[in-house]
Amino acid sequence: MDKLKEDFAKKALPFAVQLKEFVKAHGDQVIGQYTIDQVYSGMKGMIGMVTETSKLDPEEGIRFRGYSIPELAEKLPKAKDGDEPLPEGIFYLMLMDQLPTDEDVHGISNQWVRRSNVPKHVFDMLDSLPKSTHPMTQFSAAVLALQTESVFAAAYRKGINKKDHWDPMYEDIMNLIARLPRVAAYIYRRVYKDDVHIEPNHKLDWAANFAHMLGYDDVEFHRLMRLYLTIHADHEGGNVSAHATHLVGTALSDAYYSFSAGMNGLAGPLHGLANQEVVRWILDLKESFGGRVPTKDEIAEYVKKTLSEGKVVPGYGHAVLRKTDPRYTAQREFALKFMPDDENFQIVSNIYEVVPPILSTIGKIKNPWPNVDAHSGVLLIHYGMVEYDFYTVLFGVSRALGVLTSLLWDRALGTPLERPGSVTSDWIFKQGLKKVENN
Ligand code: HAX
């Protein structure tokens, strides 16, 4: 058994026992109430599940096992050639609920190298799809094609005791995370770089090797990729990609089925696809003003036009956050350091000044501030990665770190099948509800 797996078992299995006892002792206590509005508006704010890896505060943003993004920038191990945290570190933190040492992080890099081989049939399957297939469709399909390798599915078929479910799930999540960069890079090179593929460099860390296989060997791009893959890793349990992965996993579907489901959710424009939509919107904005950098007044005019056409301003708003997303701020700081004069960065900065006051005046929008997706695209364009249809795949590779760690915790804690109750509107109408007077 590898050391990380052994350490995880020592941590998670006693916690599972502790949790069972806790639920037995306090199971009938009430911790929340919800409203009709919440039932009809996507269960926002209802506490309905437990996710150990991270918690989102509406005012402050995400905390991974209690640490904010600025704290992690300081405390997580770094590569020799950069100040950005290594994504291996955030994975360790989410898994083990403690900060990793340099040695822990190198151990994970080595594990992922050892497990990174992608079977040929996955590439063959991808090659059979039209190149025009959206990269997220290819990514999700490739994850399903990898399901042939599921150690959990094989163990379940043989009749594994449910106390041991976590063990093959550990193998699956480690193997899947190890293989995702290769799969994603293959899709990128296949679609945009004439099928000229680049072999992995196993001396590099996970993020730098991913950048290398994509075709970007600039040290600054490696640094960007480490930042990118760290900050997109998790956003507590209720977001669509995390929730879908978790939900499907509660049926004891293996990591491949569950993660593919999560990626199908990430591919929606109100979730991860927003990163592509932001760039498309900015390019259309520029084009509508003859390809030049628009003034703030022109941006305001374009925002109003977007809203009047019944469309959303991509990259703005959030279901939980009520302030500027700290993941936006982390990317802005990177841009200020490495590309302060970049034209697109200046547009993004101007949009940041123009959009929130306009969205605020509408009244119904709960959060007028930018989210993570408002910034990521312009950083990638700066280094030459202009193919924005691919951006959500990068998000997906990062999101694997959080949602798959949670899936492993689910198996270790014996999380049961998720099956919330649902009612009809007719049932609600008949509940004898009193009219609420608006004052
Ligand atoms: N532009 C225009 N209208 C917006 C808006 C925006 N950026 N954000 C919210 N609204 C609208 C909603 O569509 C809704 O309108 P209706 O009442 O007519 O249906 C109203 O304002 C209230 O919405 P809300 O309660 O403030 O926000 P929701 O929790 O319903 O939705 C969204 C949150 C993120 C989906 C929303 O803000 C949005 O569509 N933003 C633009 C798309 C985007 O950037 N998505 C990425 C979010 C972060 C993420 O998951 N990244 O992966």
Side-chain angles (χ1 to χ4, degrees):
M1 197 185 280
D2 72 61
K3 185 172 175 316
L4 182 64
K5 189 174 181 183
E6 212 173 293
D7 290 346
F8 174 74
K10 280 189 205 145
K11 176 119 210 156
L13 303 185
F15 186 60
V17 176
Q18 190 189 332
L19 214 56
K20 270 215 157 60
E21 282 165 10
F22 175 83
V23 174
K24 206 169 154 193
H26 302 285
D28 57 356
Q29 306 223 357
V30 176
I31 56 168
Q33 286 184 316
Y34 50 86
T35 62
I36 299 263
D37 190 34
Q38 287 175 296
V39 173
Y40 276 105
S41 59
M43 301 191 278
K44 310 254 169 56
M46 282 186 194
I47 300 173
M49 68 178 128
V50 177
T51 304
E52 305 290 352
T53 47
S54 66
K55 172 84 186 86
L56 182 55
D57 181 278
E59 302 296 319
E60 193 194 41
I62 192 69
R63 279 185 179 266
F64 297 83
R65 295 287 193 178
Y67 293 99
S68 68
I69 286 185
E71 284 165 1
L72 290 177
E74 196 193 308
K75 290 182 196 299
L76 284 179
K78 325 259 184 314
K80 286 196 185 75
D81 59 356
D83 301 329
E84 294 69 30
L86 288 159
E88 287 89 329
I90 200 147
F91 172 76
Y92 183 94
L93 174 66
M94 289 189 288
L95 188 71
M96 297 301 298
D97 191 17
Q98 65 192 49
L99 288 167
T101 61
D102 286 351
E103 200 190 329
D104 293 325
V105 156
H106 291 140
I108 293 172
S109 294
N110 292 338
Q111 275 289 329
W112 288 349
V113 165
R114 218 169 51 72
R115 295 166 181 267
S116 63
N117 187 46
V118 175
K120 182 173 170 298
H121 73 265
V122 176
F123 301 128
D124 292 344
M125 186 283 298
L126 286 170
D127 288 341
S128 73
L129 293 172
K131 283 191 179 176
S132 57
T133 310
H134 192 279
M136 277 305 280
T137 312
Q138 298 194 43
F139 187 58
S140 181
V143 170
L144 279 183
L146 272 169
Q147 194 274 339
T148 50
E149 311 307 293
S150 175
V151 181
F152 179 86
Y156 194 85
R157 207 183 165 98
K158 277 194 194 145
I160 188 172
N161 186 314
K162 66 179 175 186
K163 285 201 193 76
D164 299 325
H165 280 173
W166 71 272
D167 184 313
M169 184 57 98
Y170 174 89
E171 299 301 326
D172 276 357
I173 73 136
M174 290 292 277
N175 291 340
L176 181 49
I177 293 171
R179 289 163 181 169
L180 288 176
R182 187 79 209 274
V183 168
Y186 189 89
I187 294 166
Y188 181 72
R189 305 286 310 175
R190 167 172 192 261
V191 175
Y192 306 109
K193 304 290 171 186
D194 295 327
D195 261 317
V196 179
H197 296 286
I198 300 172
E199 286 299 308
N201 176 350
H202 291 317
K203 291 200 182 100
L204 296 171
D205 55 87
W206 187 70
N209 184 38
F210 183 25
H212 163 74
M213 288 187 287
L214 289 164
Y216 297 87
D217 277 321
D218 182 327
V219 172
E220 269 180 35
F221 192 85
H222 287 192
R223 294 180 64 166
L224 173 62
M225 212 29 52
R226 291 182 193 120
L227 174 72
Y228 189 105
L229 297 177
T230 299
I231 62 175
H232 287 81
D234 209 29
H235 221 220
E236 74 170 32
N239 68 78
V240 174
S241 53
H243 190 189
T245 306
H246 164 79
L247 170 66
V248 173
T250 69
L252 295 187
S253 301
D254 60 52
Y256 299 88
Y257 285 126
S258 306
F259 183 62
S260 175
M263 290 303 95
N264 297 340
L266 194 74
L270 297 188
H271 189 20
L273 203 79
N275 62 7
Q276 114 173 10
E277 292 302 292
V278 165
V279 169
R280 219 154 61 81
W281 188 85
I282 291 175
L283 295 180
D284 287 349
L285 159 73
K286 269 169 105 172
E287 200 184 301
S288 76
F289 292 103
R292 62 175 169 77
V293 175
T295 64
K296 288 182 195 166
D297 284 345
E298 287 167 341
I299 293 173
E301 190 188 311
Y302 196 78
V303 169
K304 285 174 190 159
K305 179 174 166 287
T306 300
L307 293 170
S308 72
E309 289 167 352
K311 299 191 270 191
V312 296
V313 179
Y316 281 76
H318 201 273
V320 180
L321 276 169
R322 295 295 175 254
K323 288 274 163 67
T324 296
D325 191 334
R327 301 172 299 173
Y328 176 93
T329 310
Q331 295 179 93
R332 180 171 166 78
E333 282 163 8
F334 188 94
L336 286 168
K337 195 158 148 195
F338 293 111
M339 44 182 271
D341 301 325
D342 182 278
E343 183 178 294
N344 291 320
F345 171 51
Q346 280 168 12
I347 297 175
V348 163
S349 300
N350 287 340
I351 293 171
Y352 187 22
E353 285 183 42
V354 170
V355 168
I358 298 177
L359 294 186
S360 298
T361 56
I362 297 175
K364 66 176 181 178
I365 299 175
K366 296 192 189 72
N367 174 34
W369 301 105
N371 58 58
V372 66
D373 301 313
H375 213 307
S376 52
V378 295
L379 300 176
L380 297 164
I381 291 176
H382 179 78
Y383 293 102
M385 184 182 263
V386 294
E387 302 88 356
Y388 55 80
D389 276 6
F390 184 74
Y391 293 170
T392 313
V393 175
L394 296 177
F395 193 156
V397 171
S398 172
R399 189 45 60 98
L401 300 176
V403 300
L404 292 176
T405 304
S406 283
L407 201 59
L408 174 57
W409 269 97
D410 284 346
R411 287 295 78 79
L413 300 179
T415 304
L417 183 84
E418 186 170 303
R419 207 308 188 180
S422 79
V423 294
T424 60
S425 288
D426 188 49
W427 183 91
I428 291 184
F429 300 156
K430 288 178 180 153
Q431 294 310 297
L433 301 165
K434 289 193 199 92
K435 188 167 167 33
V436 179
E437 296 301 332
N438 291 324
N439 40 11

